[in-house]
Amino acid sequence: MRISEVRALSTEELSETLYSLKEQLFDLRRKKAVGGLERGEDITEVRRDIARVNMVISERKLGINKELNEGAGGNE
C-alpha cells in the first residue's frame, strides 16, 4: 500500500484499514510461530503499512497539510 493510497482514504476507512492490518499482522505472527509462514517479508510489509496508516492519522490530528509533504522530495 503506497502512501498516496493511504492519504486518499477517509478517516473512517483509515480506522478500518488499521484494524484489518493489525489482524493480518497477528495472523502472520501466529503462522510464523507454528512454522507455516512462507514469506517472512510479509510481516515487514504489514508493519510498514500500519506505520503509514498511523502516520496519516497523526498528520490529520495535528492538521499537517499534505501539500507540504509532497514538496519535500516526493519519496513514497
Side-chain angles (χ1 to χ4, degrees):
M1 178 177 286
R2 298 183 60 86
I3 191 69
S4 57
E5 296 170 357
V6 175
R7 285 197 172 112
L9 298 174
S10 70
T11 305
E12 184 176 317
E13 290 172 326
L14 285 172
S15 297
E16 293 171 3
T17 303
L18 183 61
Y19 184 79
S20 171
L21 287 169
K22 286 183 177 182
E23 284 182 332
Q24 286 179 21
L25 183 61
F26 177 80
D27 195 39
L28 289 171
R29 286 180 173 162
R30 185 182 52 80
K31 285 180 181 178
K32 181 180 178 183
V34 297
L37 185 63
E38 294 176 8
R39 289 189 36 189
E41 302 88 30
D42 290 341
I43 292 176
T44 304
E45 289 175 19
V46 172
R47 288 179 64 215
R48 288 182 180 173
D49 287 342
I50 290 171
R52 287 184 188 107
V53 171
N54 280 328
M55 182 182 70
V56 172
I57 290 172
S58 295
E59 284 177 349
R60 290 185 183 174
K61 283 183 183 177
L62 296 173
I64 296 174
N65 205 352
K66 70 178 181 180
E67 287 84 21
L68 294 175
N69 293 332
E70 289 174 356
N75 292 339
E76 293 183 2

